[in-house]
Amino acid sequence: MDRLKAFQQALNTWAKWVDSNVDTTNTKVFFQGISPEHNSMTGTKTGSCLGETAPATKGPGVSAPAVAVVKNVLKKMKKKVTLLDITAASELRKDGHPSIYGPNGKAGHDCSHWCIAGVPDTWNEFLQSFLV
C-alpha cells in the first residue's frame, strides 16, 4: 500500500474515533502536524542536514504531501481539533538534527530525528500557547 494512502486511512480511522468518542465540550483535542525531514534539502551545503550549523533563513515553501492529508482530514471532522502546525517552523531548523552524531554515526545521516533540547521544545511552546 502506498505510504500516503496508508497515512490517510489511519488518520480517517482516528478522526472517526474522535468524532464518535470525544466530548469536546470538556476536552480539547490537538493534532501535531508533520515533522519534516531534511534528507534532500536544497539550500544546504550537502543536500542534507550534514554539516549544518545554523537555521535556514528561508524555508523551501513546499509542504510535504502528508500536510495536505492532515489538513483535509481535520477539516472534514465534526469535532473541533486544533492543528499544531509545526511543519513550516521545523523546516527552518536544518541544523537541529543529529546528522552523523545519531545512532548510525558516519554510516548514515540522521536527518529525520531532532536533537534535544531544540526543535521539539518549540513544539511544546506551541501547545502551551493554546492551553493558556
Side-chain angles (χ1 to χ4, degrees):
M1 175 180 246
D2 175 69
R3 185 173 66 110
L4 204 55
K5 288 186 188 287
F7 180 60
Q8 182 174 12
Q9 186 175 359
L11 274 183
N12 282 327
T13 300
W14 172 81
K16 287 177 191 173
W17 183 88
V18 169
D19 282 342
S20 300
N21 295 293
V22 177
D23 177 6
T24 54
T25 60
N26 61 19
T27 303
K28 289 184 180 182
V29 180
F30 295 92
F31 188 88
Q32 179 177 296
I34 305 300
S35 172
E37 295 183 6
H38 293 112
N39 286 324
S40 57
M41 187 174 178
T42 57
T44 62
K45 298 174 197 164
T46 62
S48 74
C49 61
L50 177 64
E52 295 299 328
T53 58
T57 56
K58 180 174 119 179
V62 178
S63 292
V67 173
V69 170
V70 168
K71 290 181 178 180
N72 189 39
V73 169
L74 293 183
K75 83 176 175 189
K76 292 178 182 176
M77 292 180 68
K78 296 174 193 157
K79 303 284 176 88
K80 181 180 182 336
V81 174
T82 301
L83 173 62
L84 300 176
D85 194 353
I86 63 166
T87 307
S90 301
E91 283 177 336
L92 297 173
R93 291 306 308 272
K94 61 188 168 116
D95 61 323
H97 299 289
S99 183
I100 61 170
Y101 305 103
N104 293 329
K106 293 188 187 242
H109 302 188
D110 185 351
C111 296
S112 62
H113 294 93
W114 298 94
C115 294
I116 303 292
V119 175
D121 297 311
T122 303
W123 304 340
N124 292 334
E125 289 180 27
F126 289 169
L127 175 60
Q128 182 182 14
S129 72
F130 281 104
L131 295 175
V132 291

